[in-house]
């Protein structure tokens, strides 16, 4: 009992010292055995959150060094990074992002082994997918595979593929009329529809799509997709073809896959993406916490850099309809909550 009281007192003391931004006191308390991972019982606020809220980069660094978890959540589901953002302390934000990226690098995981979808890709591909009102594709669990509110984002992704997006990383493609473009995952065909608007500049438009119900719809729209090559298989199968590629632009947007799967696709990029070519993907990384999302983007940047791609994330405003409750009527799970979308734009380094 006496020991429990002593721990409670030391937690209270370290939390107070963090709030006061008193580095010397925090160091003394840690040296005397106070836990760096201390969290207040009722609110769940941690020492790291208190230090971040106080904008004390020195204490944040000290706590991280002593093992405070960068990703602990309080009872409202907020992490230390969000406290740092609110306190407008860029130094604390940077320290916490770096701690997150390092942790991901160490453990080699992004989704902690758990997919955001609660079914495997094999399961999804073996079950029915249906088109609701022509503007939503749902799996047989009632989860949305693709929705119309993403249309402006898909337009931007298509523009990236042909150099029509205002960014230096893809600008060099805009004068080409021999482009080889790959889209992985047809879904509602939105991005492919936008790409057809540039048909005169695209010499080869290839789509990988394995789901029989999606392909059935493709087959009912032969005129719309004239000139497009469909590989009726998974991207994993396409990659086994040694003659596959190279492409000048690749867009990746699949479903029911883990981060680890996309990472496997990343590893093939040096082979299937031409030098100077551009790569982008639907950025639904860590979609429920803006700070974790930021860490995930930084992490992907490191991963792509290590295989020879420079990656930038371009912020875009998300269509208002994504926030309208009606948009999600009949969809089991709302998969998007942010105002901003960070469009990944990676280019294959030429040197
Ligand atoms: C989110 S949708 C793509 C939406 C598309 N970007 C659009 O503009 O409509 C995902 C698509 O990826 C397909 N897919 C799932 N697993 C795949 C895999 N392993 N290889 C290729 N496509 C896959 C799904 O069947 C689905 O059609």
């Amino acid at each position: 009992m006496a020991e429990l009281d002593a721990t409670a007192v030391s937690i209270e003391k370290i939390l107070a010292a963090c709030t006061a931004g008193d580095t010397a006191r925090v160091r003394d308390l840690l040296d005397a055995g106070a836990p760096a991972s201390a969290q207040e019982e009722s609110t769940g606020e941690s020492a790291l959150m208190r230090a971040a809220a106080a904008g004390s980069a020195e204490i944040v660094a000290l706590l991280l060094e002593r093992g405070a978890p960068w990703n602990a959540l309080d009872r409202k589901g907020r992490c230390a990074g969000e406290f740092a953002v609110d306190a407008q302390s860029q130094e604390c934000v940077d320290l916490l992002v770096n701690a997150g990226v390092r942790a991901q690098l160490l453990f080699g995981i992004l989704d902690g082994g758990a997919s955001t979808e609660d079914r495997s890709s094999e399961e999804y591909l073996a079950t029915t997918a249906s088109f609701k009102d022509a503007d939503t594709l749902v799996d047989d669990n009632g989860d949305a595979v693709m929705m119309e509110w993403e249309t402006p984002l898909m337009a931007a992704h298509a523009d990236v593929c042909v150099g029509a997006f205002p960014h230096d990383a893809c600008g060099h493609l805009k004068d080409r009329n021999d482009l080889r473009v790959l889209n992985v995952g047809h879904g509602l065909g939105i991005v492919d529809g936008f790409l057809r608007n540039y048909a005169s500049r695209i010499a080869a438009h290839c789509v990988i799509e394995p789901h029989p119900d999606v392909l059935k719809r493709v087959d009912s729209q032969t005129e719309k997709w004239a000139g497009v090559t469909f590989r009726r298989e998974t991207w994993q199968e396409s990659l086994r073809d040694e003659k596959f590629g190279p492409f000048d632009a690749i867009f990746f947007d699949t479903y029911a896959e883990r981060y680890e799967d996309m990472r496997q696709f990343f590893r093939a990029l040096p082979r299937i993406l031409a030098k100077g070519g551009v790569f982008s993907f639907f950025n639904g990384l860590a979609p429920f916490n803006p700070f974790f999302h930021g860490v995930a983007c930084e992490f992907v940047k490191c991963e792509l850099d290590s295989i020879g791609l420079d990656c930038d994330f371009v912020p875009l405003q998300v269509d208002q309809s994504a926030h309208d409750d009606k948009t999600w009527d009949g969809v089991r799970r709302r998969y998007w909550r942010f105002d901003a979308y960070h469009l990944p734009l990676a280019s294959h380094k030429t040197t």
Side-chain angles (χ1 to χ4, degrees):
M1 189 66 190
E3 205 177 297
L4 259 185
D5 287 348
T7 310
V9 170
S10 78
I11 288 176
E12 217 173 279
K13 284 181 181 166
I14 195 165
L15 289 171
C18 288
T19 302
D22 186 342
T23 313
R25 174 100 176 119
V26 173
R27 191 184 303 279
D28 287 347
L29 288 163
L30 288 170
D31 289 346
S37 58
Q39 274 184 283
E40 210 255 332
E41 181 62 30
S42 59
T43 61
E45 280 180 18
S46 67
L48 202 56
M49 292 172 197
R50 293 282 181 88
S56 171
E58 226 177 14
I59 302 181
V60 166
L62 177 62
L63 290 168
L64 289 170
E65 200 183 290
R66 302 287 182 99
W70 69 278
N71 56 350
L73 299 176
D74 70 7
R75 305 243 181 269
K76 291 185 184 151
R78 285 160 48 91
C79 65
E82 290 170 277
F83 283 82
V85 170
D86 286 351
Q88 300 188 341
S89 170
Q90 191 58 44
E91 228 183 318
C92 291
V93 169
D94 290 347
L95 282 166
L96 290 159
V97 169
N98 290 340
V101 172
R102 270 198 312 275
Q104 302 292 8
L105 286 171
L106 270 176
F107 296 115
I109 51 167
L110 195 96
D111 45 20
S115 166
T116 44
E117 290 85 24
D118 51 16
R119 58 173 15 188
S120 70
S121 170
E122 290 75 22
E123 239 183 304
Y124 157 70
L125 290 174
T127 49
T128 313
S130 41
F131 295 89
K132 248 174 81 266
D133 316 325
D135 62 6
T136 304
L137 174 59
V138 289
D139 70 8
D140 76 337
N141 269 347
D143 273 322
V145 177
M146 182 65 187
M147 297 177 76
E148 199 187 20
W149 66 263
E150 294 181 42
T151 299
L153 304 180
M154 293 301 129
H157 279 294
D159 283 353
V160 164
C161 292
V162 296
F165 188 76
H167 195 288
D168 287 349
C170 62
H172 63 289
L173 298 180
K174 79 172 182 299
D175 301 321
R176 299 257 310 262
N177 55 15
D178 58 350
L179 293 170
R180 298 157 298 180
V181 180
L182 170 66
N183 175 38
V184 184
H186 181 68
L188 290 172
I190 301 177
V191 85
D192 288 313
F194 283 117
L195 285 170
R196 287 329 280 154
N197 296 338
Y198 295 107
S200 61
R201 296 188 35 229
I202 298 179
H205 178 173
C206 178
V207 179
I208 305 179
E209 174 57 55
H211 200 293
D213 294 327
V214 177
L215 289 168
K216 217 180 280 168
R217 191 185 198 222
V218 168
D219 290 337
S220 70
Q221 304 171 324
T222 40
E223 226 172 277
K224 189 170 179 185
W225 305 119
V228 180
T229 304
F230 280 86
R231 291 183 73 112
R232 297 163 176 259
E233 59 189 5
T234 62
W235 59 263
Q236 290 86 344
E237 288 164 318
S238 289
L239 289 185
R240 277 183 224 129
D241 174 357
E242 281 170 21
K243 295 202 194 86
F244 186 55
F247 296 95
D248 302 296
I250 299 177
F251 176 58
F252 183 94
D253 181 12
T254 68
Y255 180 70
E257 293 201 293
R258 294 161 184 252
Y259 179 71
E260 197 49 45
D261 297 308
M262 187 157 73
R263 200 177 204 196
Q264 194 191 327
F265 187 80
F266 287 173
R267 286 190 211 113
L269 288 172
R271 172 167 73 92
I272 64 168
L273 184 64
K275 288 277 185 195
V278 297
F279 169 64
S280 192
F281 59 89
F282 175 73
N283 188 358
L285 298 167
F288 300 112
N289 179 308
F291 188 77
F292 291 176
H293 177 69
V295 168
C297 291
E298 279 304 307
F299 178 66
V300 165
K301 209 175 155 82
C302 292
E303 296 236 286
L304 290 176
D305 181 66
S306 73
I307 56 165
L309 274 79
D310 273 325
C311 184
D312 235 3
F313 287 89
V314 185
L316 300 178
Q317 188 66 30
V318 166
D319 193 78
Q320 206 37 46
S321 63
H323 303 301
D324 186 344
D325 289 343
K326 270 199 250 125
T327 300
W328 301 91
D329 269 357
V331 168
R332 192 166 77 104
R333 212 169 3 185
R334 192 171 180 149
Y335 65 84
W336 191 269
R337 296 201 173 266
F338 301 155
D339 286 332
Y341 175 77
H342 295 99
L343 181 142
L345 213 179
S347 60
H348 196 176
K349 296 176 203 172
T350 46
T351 50

